[in-house]
Amino acid sequence: LSFHAIVDLCRSLIGIEDGDDEAQALGKLDATVRGLLPDELEDVLPFLAALLGLPLDEARATRLAGLHGDAMEKLTLRSVSQLLRATSDDRPVVAVMDDLHWADQSSIELFESLLHLCEEHPILFVNVCRLGYATTSDRIRDYARKEHADRGFEIELKPLDASAARSMLNNLFHQDDLPRDTRQRIEEKAHGNPFYIEEVVRSLVDDGAVEYVEGRFRATDRITSVTIPDSIHEVVMARVDALDVAKRQLLQTVSVIGASFHIEVLAGIVEDVTRLAGDIESLLNAEFLVRSASARDAEYDFKHPLIQEVTYESLLHTRREILHRKVAETMERVFPADVAGYAGMLAYHYGKGGAGERAEEFLFRAGAEAARAAAPSEALHFFEEAVSYTHLTLPTNR
């Protein structure tokens, strides 16, 4: 989604909540800009509204329609910068950019241009990310090191050492509630990964080798016969395989939809809707899924990205294609065409589903939308992807 990370930041600064409708969101935007930048209302509000996907009156919409990509991009950056600066003049701001390694390119480019605000304004940027992503998190880290080295501080989360892993197990089990050799095998195979320890304990509970009594875990007689998996992938896969057929197939279907999924999409794909609520509840209780903080009654997330990854990889290629097509067809049927990222989502799923013509159609639509939204990097990406389905070639002078 173009500018997705920046949109989240602006919504937070403005106080827009997930349950707000367009009128409420626009009212909050108007009140915020009038309060912070009263003399620049017409120079800021239209561009922020367009960025947030909010409707504009005819005069403002006409003004924006007359702007070309570069001008729109510069004015959008200026508006976001002014909002952030004015907010920090009113009160100190901590801007937490979570999972920055997954950010879209337009967000990265705009965010890079915002970092200089920390030099003169009370703004703390907390960039939470994995390294090894050259165009996103690595780019921001390298830029911050080069341009703001005197204001930057890096904290690298390293694997747990042996004593920390032991402490984690001690917090879960009393000293005598887990055999010593089982403890040692878990500590050795965890390689300092706390998620491995969590998932191993859950797998032992699933196997009946561990039970939860009076707020603590305790090994049962079956503990001596279990095998401790060698890696986190094996742990997760073993837990998925242990599910009954219906729940395992449901989790696999969910993994195709994405890291987050809307219940209405899932209901349009599964064969037996009557089982859906109960099976979702079981997957929640087993901690494969969690309720989304943004829409608790309608949207769910995988508890950890690795669970989705391993589950998705367990699908045969043919089955995966069929499910991607079903997801695309359902999304096209149940979502309004103006929902954020609509064309891009459909292009992705139709492409993965082997429906090249449909993927091409929505890639061109997504590219046009990104261009109108002053997101040239995304627009170019979508158009290049679309061309891969045709015999067209893009001009070399871009």
Side-chain angles (χ1 to χ4, degrees):
L1 300 178
S2 300
F3 295 115
H4 184 57
I6 302 301
V7 167
D8 283 349
L9 174 62
C10 290
R11 286 172 63 90
S12 179
L13 291 170
I14 295 164
I16 298 174
E17 299 177 356
D18 292 313
D20 291 342
D21 59 26
E22 286 184 344
Q24 291 171 317
L26 194 57
K28 289 182 177 180
L29 172 60
D30 184 88
T32 298
V33 177
R34 286 182 186 276
L36 296 174
L37 299 161
D39 298 331
E40 301 175 77
L41 181 69
E42 292 305 320
D43 293 328
V44 174
L45 187 145
F47 300 98
L48 292 179
L51 180 68
L52 298 172
L54 298 176
L56 293 168
D57 59 40
E58 185 176 352
R60 288 168 173 167
T62 301
R63 178 189 173 195
L64 264 60
L67 293 172
H68 296 292
D70 288 346
M72 183 70 177
E73 187 177 10
K74 290 178 181 177
L75 291 170
T76 298
L77 168 60
R78 178 179 179 273
S79 298
V80 175
S81 179
Q82 286 180 286
L83 174 66
L84 187 54
R85 173 183 54 77
T87 303
S88 71
D89 289 343
D90 181 59
R91 62 189 185 276
V93 172
V94 178
V96 180
M97 310 300 288
D98 199 9
D99 289 332
L100 196 60
H101 51 285
W102 285 331
D104 60 279
Q105 204 58 40
S106 296
S107 287
I108 291 295
E109 291 170 1
L110 198 156
F111 182 59
E112 189 176 75
S113 299
L114 295 175
L115 288 179
H116 75 279
L117 293 174
C118 72
E119 298 285 349
E120 298 180 357
H121 300 276
I123 302 174
L124 171 64
F125 292 106
V126 181
N127 307 322
V128 185
C129 59
R130 300 178 192 170
L131 297 179
Y133 294 76
T135 61
T136 55
S137 52
D138 288 3
R139 172 175 170 172
I140 293 298
R141 179 201 58 184
D142 294 344
Y143 181 83
R145 284 177 173 177
K146 178 182 177 182
E147 301 294 334
H148 309 289
D150 59 327
R151 293 182 177 274
F153 187 78
E154 297 182 26
I155 301 174
E156 180 182 356
L157 294 184
K158 297 181 179 180
L160 300 177
D161 59 24
S163 63
R166 191 168 302 116
S167 295
M168 185 173 178
L169 282 172
N170 287 340
N171 286 333
L172 297 172
F173 296 89
H174 285 301
Q175 190 66 37
D176 298 327
D177 284 345
L178 187 68
R180 181 182 178 85
D181 63 328
T182 304
R183 282 176 178 270
Q184 289 179 334
R185 279 184 289 157
I186 293 174
E187 290 173 13
E188 290 169 1
K189 294 182 177 184
H191 298 293
N193 185 344
F195 183 58
Y196 174 91
I197 296 175
E198 291 180 13
E199 287 298 295
V200 163
V201 172
R202 290 192 184 100
S203 71
L204 294 175
V205 172
D206 293 343
D207 291 340
V210 165
E211 59 185 2
Y212 191 68
V213 180
E214 297 180 353
R216 304 286 291 197
F217 290 102
R218 183 176 64 193
T220 69
D221 293 340
R222 295 192 59 181
I223 195 68
T224 57
S225 62
V226 297
T227 300
I228 306 298
D230 291 328
S231 69
I232 183 60
H233 282 77
E234 290 181 19
V235 177
V236 174
M237 195 66 254
R239 295 194 64 224
V240 173
D241 286 341
L243 293 169
D244 65 47
V245 174
K247 294 184 182 67
R248 183 168 66 251
Q249 290 180 343
L250 180 64
L251 194 66
Q252 288 172 333
T253 300
V254 168
S255 75
V256 172
I257 299 175
S260 300
F261 67 96
H262 198 284
I263 195 66
E264 193 173 0
V265 174
L266 187 58
I269 301 170
V270 297
E271 296 179 1
D272 187 358
V273 181
T274 61
R275 289 188 51 130
L276 186 55
D279 286 348
I280 287 289
E281 195 64 32
S282 296
L283 294 174
L284 289 169
N285 291 335
E287 298 192 58
F288 288 106
L289 305 175
V290 294
R291 287 184 172 83
S292 174
S294 61
R296 297 185 64 85
D297 296 329
E299 194 169 322
Y300 300 84
D301 304 326
F302 273 91
K303 181 176 176 63
H304 193 281
L306 191 59
I307 298 176
Q308 183 206 0
E309 177 186 325
V310 172
T311 306
Y312 183 82
E313 290 174 351
S314 71
L315 281 163
L316 295 175
H317 179 74
T318 303
R319 177 64 177 162
R320 202 182 292 175
E321 275 198 347
I322 292 171
L323 286 174
H324 273 295
R325 285 198 298 273
K326 286 184 176 181
V327 170
E329 291 163 358
T330 304
M331 285 182 169
E332 190 172 4
R333 185 172 67 251
V334 305
F335 286 159
D338 60 353
V339 72
Y342 177 84
M345 285 190 295
L346 291 180
Y348 170 78
H349 286 293
Y350 275 126
K352 290 289 187 180
E357 290 186 4
R358 298 293 281 156
E360 176 191 344
E361 173 190 345
F362 284 104
L363 281 165
F364 276 120
R365 284 175 58 177
E369 290 172 5
R372 286 195 298 271
S377 296
E378 269 69 40
L380 180 60
H381 167 74
F382 285 129
F383 288 140
E384 287 178 334
E385 286 289 308
V387 167
S388 70
Y389 289 101
T390 72
H391 298 295
L392 300 173
T393 56
L394 287 175
T396 55
N397 182 12
R398 295 184 289 197

